[in-house]
Amino acid sequence: MFPVNRPRRLRQNDPIRRMVRENVLTANDLIYPLFAVPGSSIAQEVKSMPGVYQLSIDKIVEEAKEVRDLGIPAIILFGIPADKDTDATGAWHDCGIVQKAATAVKEAVPDLVIVADTCLCEYTDHGHCGYLETGDLTGRVLNDPTLELLKKTAVSQAKAGADIIAPSGMMDGFVQAIREGLDEAGFTDTPILSYAAKYSSAYYGPFRDAADSAPQFGDRRTYQMDPANGMEALKEVALDIAEGADMLMVKPALAYMDIIWRVKEMTQLPVAAYNVSGEYSMVKAAALNGWVDEQRVVLETLTGFKRAGADLILTYHAKDAVRWMQS
């Protein structure tokens, strides 16, 4: 009589395993991040992120075409401006680097979805995500004045061709402010993908090399979330839903799969997970040293995000992942 149940019956060969597989990763799940810089014919590899580049707009367009040809439906654009100032002018100016990149990509690859990261840290001379109180060296950002900058930035990005606005600064009320700005400007159909649960994480280190956005003093713990908190993430998500968010993001992903799961359980909105720079670079470093099988680790990790409840995954592995899946 023993054993009555034999789960191994459904694992005995690949066709059966594929038939009963609960979660399937596809190209449609992925969003590929790109970093735009001024100039032409520029492809500068980020030292701490092998295989990731700062790209001039002509190179961004080439990458966008490759992404489209691989079947990946979307990119997210980050910008590194030529000049920075206290008003984050490069974030909201019509000739800002993200705006110019969005327009160029939309003209060359109109069927590719463009997500615009809507934040100010890459554009301020102090590296924080908004206005600072005069003389404050702790990194405490003035919330409400910053909302006006975010509103201007979102509208300028939508005008330039961005299909989705993704505010990432974790300001109180930022979704409502941006929704009002977009609607007033006639962009009522432009969705908002809110970085609803964005933690103050050590996993962002390589990104700050890529985007040249490290704070010049202090840190971002006055506005990004404490990694120890879970209920707070659900509160932030609930507020963003009430303010009109169309999609929600959890960032980072790898150490926060419990948060992805809890957010997915509480809402019927699409949930995105950001497989951030530190997560990417750790795998790359281990693979380059021969310590792990990069392909298997990446696909297992991305599938894990799906299993945790992510509908979308922002990842620097996107192109490689699709090629591996196709092969």
Side-chain angles (χ1 to χ4, degrees):
M1 296 295 295
F2 178 81
V4 175
N5 294 306
R6 293 182 180 269
R8 288 183 60 188
R9 290 171 183 149
L10 301 184
R11 303 176 196 150
Q12 61 186 293
N13 59 51
D14 186 61
I16 290 178
R17 289 193 296 271
R18 285 189 284 113
M19 287 170 64
V20 299
R21 187 163 291 153
E22 297 174 29
N23 295 280
V24 178
L25 182 72
T26 75
N28 290 329
D29 301 319
L30 306 178
I31 299 173
Y32 188 54
L34 290 170
F35 298 92
V37 296
S40 61
S41 301
I42 296 172
Q44 177 68 43
E45 188 171 31
V46 179
K47 184 178 296 185
S48 57
M49 298 180 70
V52 174
Y53 296 82
Q54 295 176 336
L55 301 169
S56 53
I57 291 173
D58 54 323
K59 295 293 185 180
I60 289 276
V61 170
E62 291 178 11
E63 281 286 297
K65 291 176 180 177
E66 183 179 359
V67 167
R68 186 270 317 276
D69 292 343
L70 284 168
I72 299 168
I75 59 172
I76 181 167
L77 290 174
F78 298 90
I80 301 97
D83 299 298
K84 305 186 180 196
D85 56 38
T86 56
D87 292 325
T89 304
W92 49 263
H93 197 281
D94 288 343
C95 292
I97 186 65
V98 163
Q99 287 78 355
K100 292 167 74 172
T103 299
V105 170
K106 188 54 67 176
E107 289 176 353
V109 199
D111 53 339
L112 187 69
V113 174
I114 300 173
V115 184
D117 179 78
T118 307
C119 196
L120 307 175
C121 58
E122 295 114 292
Y123 307 94
T124 56
D125 51 12
H126 45 70
H128 283 284
C129 298
Y131 281 121
L132 295 184
E133 192 169 353
T134 303
D136 187 350
L137 300 181
T138 66
R140 186 169 60 246
V141 172
L142 296 175
N143 193 91
D144 294 3
T146 298
L147 297 182
E148 293 304 311
L149 286 182
L150 291 173
K151 185 187 296 187
K152 290 169 61 176
T153 300
V155 170
S156 70
Q157 291 171 339
K159 286 180 179 177
D163 300 290
I164 297 173
I165 298 300
S168 60
M170 289 297 286
M171 295 296 111
D172 294 340
F174 70 160
V175 171
Q176 181 173 321
I178 288 171
R179 183 75 272 158
E180 290 175 353
L182 290 172
D183 290 354
E184 290 167 2
F187 295 103
T188 55
D189 292 332
T190 300
I192 295 174
L193 167 56
S194 172
Y195 288 66
K198 181 179 179 180
Y199 285 86
S200 181
S201 173
Y203 283 99
Y204 302 150
F207 175 91
R208 291 170 182 171
D209 289 340
D212 189 23
S213 63
Q216 298 302 303
F217 50 82
D219 54 48
R220 295 181 178 144
R221 286 182 286 185
T222 65
Y223 42 104
Q224 294 177 359
M225 290 176 51
D226 186 336
N229 293 355
M231 291 298 297
E232 184 184 9
L234 303 187
K235 178 181 179 180
E236 289 278 5
V237 166
L239 289 170
D240 285 5
I241 293 171
E243 292 175 17
D246 301 283
M247 296 178 280
L248 307 161
M249 191 188 301
V250 176
K251 180 182 180 182
L254 191 60
Y256 298 87
M257 287 199 193
D258 60 318
I259 305 301
I260 298 170
W261 176 261
R262 292 169 75 178
V263 170
K264 189 60 181 177
E265 287 287 286
M266 72 170 287
T267 179
Q268 295 180 340
L269 295 181
V271 175
Y274 202 136
N275 180 207
V276 298
S277 59
E279 299 165 8
Y280 171 88
S281 294
M282 288 191 301
V283 172
K284 278 290 184 182
L288 288 169
N289 279 284
W291 297 336
V292 299
D293 181 326
E294 181 179 6
Q295 176 176 334
R296 292 187 63 188
V297 167
V298 169
L299 294 180
E300 181 178 340
T301 301
L302 299 181
T303 301
F305 299 148
K306 286 276 290 183
R307 190 184 66 249
D311 302 289
L312 300 168
I313 303 167
L314 292 81
T315 179
Y316 306 96
H317 296 292
K319 292 196 302 181
D320 286 337
V322 170
R323 293 188 184 106
W324 292 329
M325 287 187 284
Q326 290 175 345
S327 64

